[in-house]
Amino acid sequence: MKSDTAAGGGRPPAGDAPRHAAPRGRKRVTGTRRTVAALFLLPAVLLLGALVVYPIGYSVFRSFYDRSGDGFAGFDNYQALFSDAGIRTALKNNIVWVVFAPTLATALGLVFAVLTERVRWGTAFKLVVFMPMVISMLAAGIIFRLVYDQDPDKGVANAVWVGVHDTFAEASAFPKAHPGRESPLAADPASKGSFLTREPVSAGEPVALPLVGVAPDLMPDGAATAVRAEAEPGKVTGTVWQDFTRGEGVGTLKEPDPAEFGYAGMRIEAVKDGRVVASTEARGDGTFTLSEAADGARLRLPAENFKEPYNGLDWLGPALVTPSIIGSYIWMWAGFAMVLIAAGLASVPRELMEAARVDGANEWQVFRRVTVPLLAPVLAVVTVTLMINVLKVFDLVYIIAPGSSQDDANVLALELYRKGFSEDQPGVASAIAVFLLLLVIPVMWFNIRRLRREGRR
């Protein structure tokens, strides 16, 4: 009796299923052949090669040649990275940028993301904070060049700073005032910037203290028409005023005229043997009265009456230009950090926070011990992404820093531009470009690894 297998009509035994060779051009699950996929990828590969691979390769090649491109320079261009003063300043500033800009932007984004979760208008606030990201670096640079203008009437930063300063230390209204010709006042040798009467004063005899140097339209609001002081028995009286009337041959010298104003608020001191025995302030019409202690003393107008008005900080000077530009960068990128952190915060389990509150933790402890650790992966990605970004920063520094401070604000990307186009040193510029690439690669590799790790979870 023939077996079913021998007859050819039965099934092969289990485990002996026929093996067939895979057909050529096997299709993937999607049904797309590899050749077709390669054709679709070819334009992207060509663009990647033309716009990324070729420039990188040429920069590496060019970095080993001299200025003309004909002579092999070896590592001379790379040695210039650490011997050139401009490049060393740029490298130092890049370190400052990498340390502070991503950290502060991420921290500010974290604060915004946490706080906006608790307010009803959080979405509107996020929109406002994120809006600077829509502005180009060029426009942001122009905006902050105006914000940091030295003149408080133009620059917002100095307008605010001067306003706060003058709230606690009022500026003088008479910075340009000084004695005119034939004046009874002279410079005080014992106090720089002060003026002292040439002769002692006597009680009952009004004193005239004429000054010039302040235009009538720049007098303080409290100033009134100057009048001659009346004598008071046992007291020293006088007038301090602007002894100048517009128009040739108009007005009487050392006498108050109807068109002249008193120095309202001017401080007057009576000095005997180098010691102040009495002091007062002038009224709106410039008149003043001192006690009998001023009899026989010399009158002094102290330097505080004539100090220059506070003009704010030199935001774009050598000392503050880099922190100021970093501030403008944070203004732009804090919104980016906030949006990413807010997305990560939305996925944080609320049960953990509630459990911490039930266990007696206050809001700061919940934030520090629960929220921040859970957001650590997101915070790391945001920080590293911003680190890559600041290594390439160019636009803001080039536009905001004035010519007088651009050397102090220099960064590697700006120095690359200057070496390549202003100083005609393409070999050194290429070496800077390669150096920047080497700095970016480890940070980028770390970011990609972390993103892949998060994607596998």
Side-chain angles (χ1 to χ4, degrees), residues 11-357:
R11 296 180 181 178
D16 293 334
R19 298 177 180 179
H20 301 285
R24 293 181 181 179
R26 176 192 289 179
K27 295 183 179 180
R28 290 180 173 271
V29 176
T30 58
T32 305
R33 296 181 183 276
R34 292 182 179 179
T35 305
V36 176
L39 289 175
F40 274 104
L41 289 174
L42 184 61
V45 172
L46 292 176
L47 283 175
L48 185 67
L51 300 179
V52 178
V53 178
Y54 173 75
I56 291 175
Y58 182 77
S59 296
V60 173
F61 171 80
R62 187 66 180 83
S63 67
F64 290 103
Y65 282 80
D66 60 12
R67 176 177 297 185
S68 65
D70 298 325
F72 184 73
F75 288 94
D76 292 348
N77 293 325
Y78 289 94
Q79 289 177 357
L81 297 181
F82 305 100
S83 59
D84 186 278
I87 299 177
R88 286 205 306 269
T89 301
L91 184 58
K92 179 192 71 175
N93 286 337
N94 263 103
I95 293 172
V96 174
W97 272 88
V98 168
V99 171
F100 290 101
T103 305
L104 294 175
T106 304
L108 202 58
L110 173 62
V111 171
F112 287 159
V114 172
L115 293 182
T116 51
E117 254 206 337
R118 300 172 175 271
V119 294
R120 201 182 314 173
W121 38 269
T123 303
F125 180 82
K126 288 178 183 176
L127 180 64
V128 172
V129 174
F130 187 76
M131 197 174 293
M133 282 292 299
V134 181
I135 304 173
S136 68
M137 286 281 196
L138 173 65
I142 295 172
I143 290 171
F144 275 89
R145 183 67 181 267
L146 296 174
V147 167
Y148 292 131
D149 195 285
Q150 179 68 43
D151 187 353
D153 293 331
K154 297 179 182 177
V156 175
N158 263 341
V160 174
W161 190 264
V162 170
V164 173
H165 174 274
D166 290 350
T167 301
F168 299 98
E170 189 174 352
S172 168
F174 319 109
K176 304 295 183 183
H178 60 275
R181 56 193 173 93
E182 302 179 22
S183 174
L185 292 165
D188 183 5
S191 178
K192 185 178 180 181
S194 301
F195 299 107
L196 192 68
T197 55
R198 300 176 190 273
E199 302 294 336
V201 297
S202 301
E205 296 180 10
V207 183
L209 301 178
L211 295 169
V212 294
V214 180
D217 53 348
L218 296 179
M219 295 296 287
D221 295 336
T225 302
V227 299
R228 182 178 176 79
E230 298 292 336
E232 295 184 28
K235 295 183 178 181
V236 174
T237 60
T239 305
V240 56
W241 82 100
Q242 172 69 8
D243 190 22
F244 175 77
T245 304
R246 283 176 172 167
E248 187 177 353
V250 178
T252 305
L253 191 65
K254 293 194 289 187
E255 287 291 336
D257 292 310
E260 295 170 352
F261 293 93
Y263 279 128
M266 176 75 74
R267 186 165 185 78
I268 303 101
E269 298 174 343
V271 181
K272 282 184 182 178
D273 301 324
R275 186 168 55 90
V276 177
V277 296
S279 64
T280 188
E281 288 187 359
R283 305 177 187 92
D285 58 6
T287 60
F288 61 88
T289 304
L290 291 163
S291 64
E292 64 270 7
D295 187 23
R298 297 171 73 181
L299 300 188
R300 180 171 67 188
L301 304 180
E304 66 188 55
N305 292 313
F306 312 106
K307 64 182 180 182
E308 292 287 337
Y310 183 66
N311 205 35
L313 295 175
D314 188 7
W315 296 101
L316 299 181
L320 293 177
V321 62
T322 295
S324 299
I325 299 173
I326 289 176
S328 65
Y329 177 89
I330 293 171
W331 176 78
M332 288 192 69
W333 287 87
F336 166 82
M338 177 197 66
V339 169
L340 292 188
I341 295 170
L345 191 60
S347 63
V348 171
R350 293 298 183 267
E351 297 82 6
L352 298 177
M353 297 182 184
E354 293 302 325
R357 293 187 183 101

Side-chain angles (χ1 to χ4, degrees), residues 350-393:
R350 293 298 183 267
E351 297 82 6
L352 298 177
M353 297 182 184
E354 293 302 325
R357 293 187 183 101
V358 170
D359 288 342
N362 57 37
E363 291 302 319
W364 169 246
Q365 291 172 326
V366 171
F367 173 76
R368 186 164 60 92
R369 296 181 178 276
V370 179
T371 305
V372 172
L374 290 174
L375 287 176
V378 179
L379 296 176
V381 169
V382 172
T383 304
V384 171
T385 302
L386 292 179
M387 286 174 65
I388 296 172
N389 188 266
V390 299
L391 282 171
K392 305 178 294 179
V393 69

